[in-house]
Amino acid sequence: MSTASVSLEADDDDSTLEIPGHALRLLVDILAQIANGNAVTVAPVHTELTTQQAADLLNVSRPYLVKLLEERKIPYRRVGNRRRVLLADLLAYKRVDDVERQSIANELTAEAQRLGLDY
C-alpha cells in the first residue's frame, strides 16, 4: 500500500525533501492555526506536563485539573510531591471530553428546536 507524498526542492541547491501526505496535512493545519493568530506547540506525545501546563492546555483552572486527576479521570504520576501528566493521556481525555460536550450541545439544540426556541 503506497501513501501519497509531496516533494519539495530548494531553489539554491539540489536538495529535495519528501513529505508524507499525513505530515503535509498536519503542517497545513499548523500554518492555518498560526495564520489565525493561535499559538502552536509541537511536542512528543510522551512529554510529561506540570499540572499548570495541563490546565492551560485544557483551558481550565489548575485546581479543577487537580480535581480531575484526583477523581482518576486523567492518569498521572507523582514526582516527589508534584503531579505529572502525560501529554498523550491529556489529549485522550480532551478528545473524549470534546465528544461528550458536542453530544450535549446537539441534544440541547434539538430540544430548543423541538420547543420552538431556535431563532
Side-chain angles (χ1 to χ4, degrees), residues 31-90:
L31 293 174
Q33 290 298 322
I34 292 170
N36 287 329
N38 297 321
V40 174
T41 300
V42 178
V45 292
H46 63 274
T47 298
E48 284 190 323
L49 305 173
T50 65
T51 53
Q52 187 61 60
Q53 290 169 322
D56 290 346
L57 200 141
L58 292 180
N59 200 27
V60 299
S61 69
R62 195 187 69 75
Y64 181 75
L65 177 88
V66 169
K67 178 181 169 223
L68 293 174
L69 299 178
E70 290 173 352
E71 292 173 349
R72 301 282 188 219
K73 293 185 178 179
I74 303 171
Y76 71 96
R77 74 178 186 108
R78 284 200 172 268
V79 177
N81 65 347
R82 307 281 184 196
R83 295 174 186 90
R84 295 292 184 260
V85 179
L86 280 176
L87 177 58
D89 291 335
L90 192 68

Side-chain angles (χ1 to χ4, degrees), residues 1-7 18-25:
M1 175 165 137
S2 75
T3 59
S5 66
V6 172
S7 295
E18 288 284 325
I19 301 177
H22 64 277
L24 183 61
R25 284 188 294 280

